[in-house]
Amino acid sequence: GAVVSQHPSWVICKSGTSVKIECRSLDFQATTMFWYRQFPKQSLMLMATSNEGSKATYEQGVEKDKFLINHASLTLSTLTVTSAHPEDSSFYICSVAGRGFEGAPQETQYFGPGTRLLVL
Amino acid sequence: SQQGEEDPQALSIQEGENATMNCSYKTSINNLQWYRQNSGRGLVHLILIRSNEREKHSGRLRVTLDTSKKSSSLLITASRAADTASYFCAIVAAGNKLTFGGGTRVLVKP
């Protein structure tokens, strides 16, 4: 399947600062990228869906001014957590979707390894 | 809520035994997918089963889907210690948006 990377893998920051997380699709043209957050021992919650070159679609309850998403190319999407607070501490995971790899259903999403954010 | 509900929440078995977990949902779906997540890592896609399919196999994995009962099951046969992970079902009702269930934490003891 597709290789997806995230950077950084973990970050610790002070309350009030902004943090940018990158999601890169290394061998796959990702027409759509998804951002999820996951609290400890809980499921993944979709935050937003972004299509290359257009504005992201945010899920209900997710503040778009708080979580800025940019999907500038078919291989890169960024999530910026603005003015981070301790309650933003979480595990953020991206996934990519596009034309499926040979043998894989087109609906398959490929996930990055996640970024753990801790806001002090 | 469209979210899948998984049962059990946690499962502990001995190596070599089979592990079965179930997923129930509330809406009509296009497909249902199962993923595995090792602790603190990303998700790995296991199997996708479409709404017109009833059963799929992949290696030691067997997935069933009963759309009349709005439920799916994942069976891992002859489990190994390396199968220790959390397993999530996710439904796709429209487009390609995944809605995840709460997950089943599986511990396979050597």
Side-chain angles (χ1 to χ4, degrees):
Chain A
V3 178
V4 181
S5 69
Q6 283 184 237
H7 178 80
S9 56
W10 60 270
V11 57
I12 302 173
C13 69
K14 293 182 179 179
S15 187
T17 60
S18 293
V19 175
K20 180 185 283 189
I21 302 170
E22 291 186 350
C23 175
R24 290 185 183 273
S25 175
L26 302 182
D27 57 354
F28 184 81
Q29 295 204 322
T31 52
T32 307
M33 287 185 169
F34 303 86
W35 286 97
Y36 299 83
R37 66 186 297 180
Q38 184 180 32
F39 292 106
K41 296 186 178 180
Q42 293 189 27
S43 187
L44 279 75
M45 298 299 295
L46 179 65
M47 299 174 67
T49 303
S50 73
N51 293 297
E52 185 261 340
S54 62
K55 290 184 178 180
T57 301
Y58 289 80
E59 294 300 300
Q60 192 172 8
V62 178
E63 299 174 58
K64 59 183 177 182
D65 295 330
K66 170 78 171 174
F67 299 99
L68 302 178
I69 291 172
N70 183 279
H71 189 167
S73 75
L74 288 172
T75 60
L76 173 64
S77 176
T78 60
L79 167 67
T80 301
V81 184
T82 62
S83 187
H85 291 282
E87 58 266 29
D88 299 323
S89 298
S90 189
F91 192 53
Y92 293 88
I93 308 176
C94 71
S95 70
V96 306
R99 183 175 304 223
F101 277 82
E102 184 176 343
Q106 190 170 355
E107 302 91 331
T108 301
Q109 290 188 23
Y110 301 96
F111 284 79
T115 296
R116 191 164 302 281
L117 170 63
L118 176 61
V119 185
L120 302 176
Chain B
S1 165
Q2 295 180 7
Q3 186 178 22
E5 301 293 334
E6 294 190 56
D7 167 59
Q9 291 186 334
L11 184 59
S12 179
I13 56 175
Q14 291 294 137
E15 204 165 27
E17 294 180 340
N18 296 341
T20 301
M21 58 211 85
N22 303 294
C23 170
S24 60
Y25 55 92
K26 296 180 180 178
T27 66
S28 297
I29 62 171
N30 286 340
N31 65 76
L32 184 147
Q33 304 180 33
W34 285 91
Y35 287 84
R36 183 184 74 221
Q37 183 181 35
N38 290 86
S39 181
R41 308 290 293 275
L43 274 71
V44 175
H45 182 266
L46 297 177
I47 289 184
L48 179 152
I49 187 164
R50 300 188 190 284
S51 60
N52 61 352
E53 296 176 311
R54 292 296 167 259
E55 187 172 313
K56 284 189 94 167
H57 296 255
S58 177
R60 293 182 296 110
L61 306 179
R62 172 176 169 254
V63 167
T64 62
L65 178 64
D66 186 335
T67 52
S68 66
K69 295 180 179 178
K70 291 185 167 58
S71 69
S72 174
S73 68
L74 170 66
L75 168 67
I76 305 173
T77 60
S79 63
R80 305 168 182 168
D83 294 329
T84 294
S86 291
Y87 292 82
F88 294 92
C89 70
I91 61 171
V92 177
N96 55 4
K97 182 173 131 177
L98 291 171
T99 302
F100 283 87
T104 295
R105 294 191 303 279
V106 175
L107 171 63
V108 182
K109 294 179 282 187

